[in-house]
């Protein structure tokens, strides 16, 4: 079976639309699968696909506003049947959900984040039948949530987005959560979405908060960095460009979009509200993570200097060092396993190492300049570059690569 996507449709609660399942043709083309879902119309605000009953296919969980959240079981052909008895009735409007094995028994449990009540934890008995657990208490109303191992003890912890300090609940390994929200910075905006990922390359999960303002024109998205023990520090000013005017962020996602081995950030905005529309941008934004960035801002021309711009740990104090190399081309497939040196090596075996440079903080940027000889025979030659960065913490990593063709 080709890959599929499940879409939850919310139209503000007036005329809800049916949810849909779309099949991927393997080339990125999506078409709706007729009759894939049971009939019905919900204000669905959250969707997760996961194998809940252990039969090898992906089932569907939907978090619904003003109606019961649902589990629809997959028959293996991308057709789903509602199983109302599997998930106990909840009296709250669900705006976010997460799926993961929180009690370490090998099956997938469900956390529902509710707007008008506390978040709820439902444990799976292995067959896809859920029972509500008392292991999660003391949560505030929330719109967004995520599971991840935040304190590096091997189990899934929980972070909740709300209208002040994010909620942090650490798991004891059995699905019992302890409120440790005082480890989080205090923020003043409404969090509409959040995502966990290692942004600074230290091996721990950091937090990105997609926010909307309580008052028009004041909202800011946030980045909170994890020190490895689930203590978080607001690093927004150093790591995230300030946006003017402020945004109505509805969705955030992390992925390595430029192939340099670090996580970049995409944000989706909503600004069709008549009152706020003039104050906010209508487009989403893509932010490239500069942790492994290497750029060549000038054309490669014979008889001119060729510049490489290295970036590492922008916004933090301390000095880093970089060594760049240039060569005639790239490997067909990168070398991945280089021991203490993280990141893929792309340069071919023949290359010239340039003099090392210091990368001072907090700018986190340095420029290496090297002349290209005034030789007409070089015109049309491929020039590939990559660098090694020695971080302020002592770690070594490779940057992304740059490939140019020398001109005249």
């Amino acid at each position: 079976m080709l890959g599929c996507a499940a879409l939850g449709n919310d139209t503000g609660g007036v005329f809800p639309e049916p949810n849909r399942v779309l099949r991927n043709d393997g080339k990125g083309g999506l078409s709706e699968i007729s009759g894939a879902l049971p009939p019905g119309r919900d204000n669905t605000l959250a969707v997760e696909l996961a194998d809940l009953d252990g039969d090898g296919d992906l089932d569907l969980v939907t978090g619904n506003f003003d109606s019961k959240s649902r589990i629809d079981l997959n028959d293996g052909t991308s057709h789903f049947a509602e199983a109302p008895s599997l998930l106990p009735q909840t009296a709250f409007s669900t705006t976010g959900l997460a799926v993961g094995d929180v009690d370490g028994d090998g099956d997938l449990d469900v956390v529902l984040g509710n707007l008008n009540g506390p978040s709820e934890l439902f444990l799976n008995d292995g067959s896809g039948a859920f029972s509500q657990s008392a292991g999660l208490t003391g949560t505030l109303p929330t719109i967004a949530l995520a599971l991840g191992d935040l304190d590096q003890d091997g189990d899934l912890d929980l972070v909740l987005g709300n209208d002040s300090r994010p909620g942090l609940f650490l798991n004891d390994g059995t699905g019992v959560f302890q409120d440790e929200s005082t480890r989080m910075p205090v923020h003043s905006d409404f969090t509409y979405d959040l995502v966990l990922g290692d942004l600074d390359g230290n091996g721990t999960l950091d937090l990105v908060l997609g926010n909307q303002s309580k008052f028009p024109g004041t909202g800011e998205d946030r980045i909170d960095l994890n020190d490895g023990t689930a203590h978080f520090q607001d690093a927004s000013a150093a790591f995230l460009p300030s946006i003017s005017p402020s945004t109505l962020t509805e969705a955030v996602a992390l992925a390595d979009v430029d192939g340099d081995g670090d996580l970049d950030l995409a944000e989706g905005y909503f600004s069709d509200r008549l009152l706020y529309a003039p104050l906010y941008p209508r487009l989403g934004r893509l932010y490239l993570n500069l942790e492994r960035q290497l750029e060549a801002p000038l054309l490669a021309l014979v008889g001119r200097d060729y510049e490489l711009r290295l970036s590492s740990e922008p916004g933090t104090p301390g000095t880093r060092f970089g060594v760049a190399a240039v060569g005639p081309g790239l490997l067909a497939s990168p070398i991945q396993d280089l021991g203490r040196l993280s990141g893929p090596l792309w340069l071919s075996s023949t290359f010239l190492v340039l003099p090392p440079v210091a990368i001072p903080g907090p700018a986190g940027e340095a420029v290496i300049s090297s002349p290209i000889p005034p030789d007409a025979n070089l015109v049309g030659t491929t020039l590939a570059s990559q660098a090694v960065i020695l971080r302020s913490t002592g770690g070594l990593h490779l940057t992304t690569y740059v490939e140019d063709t020398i001109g005249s």
Side-chain angles (χ1 to χ4, degrees), residues 147-162:
L147 290 168
D149 186 6
L150 302 176
D151 53 3
Q152 302 188 92
D153 64 351
D155 54 41
L156 294 177
D157 309 302
L158 177 66
V159 62
L160 303 169
N162 48 52

Side-chain angles (χ1 to χ4, degrees), residues 316-391:
T316 59
T319 300
R320 285 70 80 183
F321 295 91
V323 177
V326 295
L330 301 172
L331 297 171
S333 298
I335 301 172
Q336 298 285 355
D337 187 5
L338 294 167
R340 292 181 59 237
L341 183 60
S342 67
L345 175 64
W346 282 97
L347 285 188
S348 61
S349 57
T350 303
F351 53 81
L352 172 68
V353 178
L354 302 178
V357 295
I359 307 174
E365 185 176 281
V367 174
I368 298 176
S369 181
S370 180
I372 299 176
D375 183 351
N377 293 322
L378 294 175
V379 175
T381 302
T382 297
L383 187 64
S385 309
Q386 194 171 15
V388 176
I389 303 293
L390 173 63
R391 293 165 51 92

Side-chain angles (χ1 to χ4, degrees), residues 142-407:
T142 187
I143 293 179
L145 69 161
L147 290 168
D149 186 6
L150 302 176
D151 53 3
Q152 302 188 92
D153 64 351
D155 54 41
L156 294 177
D157 309 302
L158 177 66
V159 62
L160 303 169
N162 48 52
D163 65 348
S164 55
R165 187 198 310 267
L168 174 63
F169 292 80
L170 298 184
N171 191 348
D172 69 358
T174 68
V176 176
F177 290 83
Q178 177 70 35
D179 187 354
E180 297 288 350
S181 300
T182 56
R183 301 187 186 194
M184 305 293 293
V186 176
H187 302 302
S188 61
D189 299 317
F190 289 115
T191 296
Y192 270 67
D193 197 16
L194 58 84
V195 64
L196 295 169
D198 183 10
L199 299 177
D200 54 359
N202 68 350
T204 64
L205 293 176
D206 308 304
L207 175 64
V208 180
L209 300 170
N211 293 331
Q212 298 189 13
S213 59
K214 294 180 181 179
F215 305 101
T218 63
E220 294 289 348
D221 298 329
R222 299 289 177 180
I223 289 178
D224 293 337
L225 295 183
N226 186 352
D227 69 355
T229 66
H231 289 81
F232 289 79
Q233 179 181 4
D234 184 2
S236 309
F239 281 75
L240 192 63
S242 179
I243 299 173
S244 181
S246 302
T247 62
L248 287 172
T249 301
E250 293 256 339
V252 290
L254 293 173
D256 182 12
V257 300
D258 55 357
D260 62 354
D262 56 34
L263 294 176
D264 308 300
L265 172 63
E267 296 183 339
Y269 305 145
F270 177 72
S271 63
D272 287 334
R273 302 173 186 180
L274 294 179
L275 177 61
Y276 294 161
L279 299 174
Y280 301 94
R282 292 180 178 271
L283 299 178
R285 280 188 169 89
L286 174 64
Y287 298 99
L288 295 182
N289 191 335
L290 297 181
E291 180 57 28
R292 296 177 182 270
Q293 204 72 13
L294 179 68
E295 296 177 286
L298 304 178
L299 294 175
L301 302 175
V302 292
R304 302 285 184 88
D305 283 347
Y306 184 63
E307 288 189 359
L308 293 172
R309 183 177 298 153
L310 286 72
S311 298
S312 180
E313 301 175 87
T316 59
T319 300
R320 285 70 80 183
F321 295 91
V323 177
V326 295
L330 301 172
L331 297 171
S333 298
I335 301 172
Q336 298 285 355
D337 187 5
L338 294 167
R340 292 181 59 237
L341 183 60
S342 67
L345 175 64
W346 282 97
L347 285 188
S348 61
S349 57
T350 303
F351 53 81
L352 172 68
V353 178
L354 302 178
V357 295
I359 307 174
E365 185 176 281
V367 174
I368 298 176
S369 181
S370 180
I372 299 176
D375 183 351
N377 293 322
L378 294 175
V379 175
T381 302
T382 297
L383 187 64
S385 309
Q386 194 171 15
V388 176
I389 303 293
L390 173 63
R391 293 165 51 92
S392 59
T393 55
L396 289 167
H397 71 243
L398 286 157
T399 67
T400 184
Y401 67 84
V402 174
E403 189 175 27
D404 281 316
T405 299
I406 298 178

Side-chain angles (χ1 to χ4, degrees), residues 70-141:
R70 295 170 31 157
I71 289 178
D72 296 328
L73 295 181
N74 190 345
D75 67 1
T77 68
S78 302
H79 288 79
F80 297 79
E82 185 179 6
S85 63
L86 296 184
L87 188 67
Q89 178 71 48
T90 176
F92 305 115
S93 291
T94 297
T95 49
L97 67 89
V99 175
D101 182 10
V102 303
D103 55 359
D105 64 353
D107 54 42
L108 297 176
D109 311 300
V110 173
V111 183
L112 298 182
N114 299 317
L115 182 62
N116 58 344
S119 296
E120 299 171 292
L121 171 61
F122 297 91
L123 299 181
N124 191 342
D125 68 359
S127 70
F130 292 81
S131 59
Q132 188 165 4
S133 169
L136 179 62
T137 60
T139 63
L140 296 173

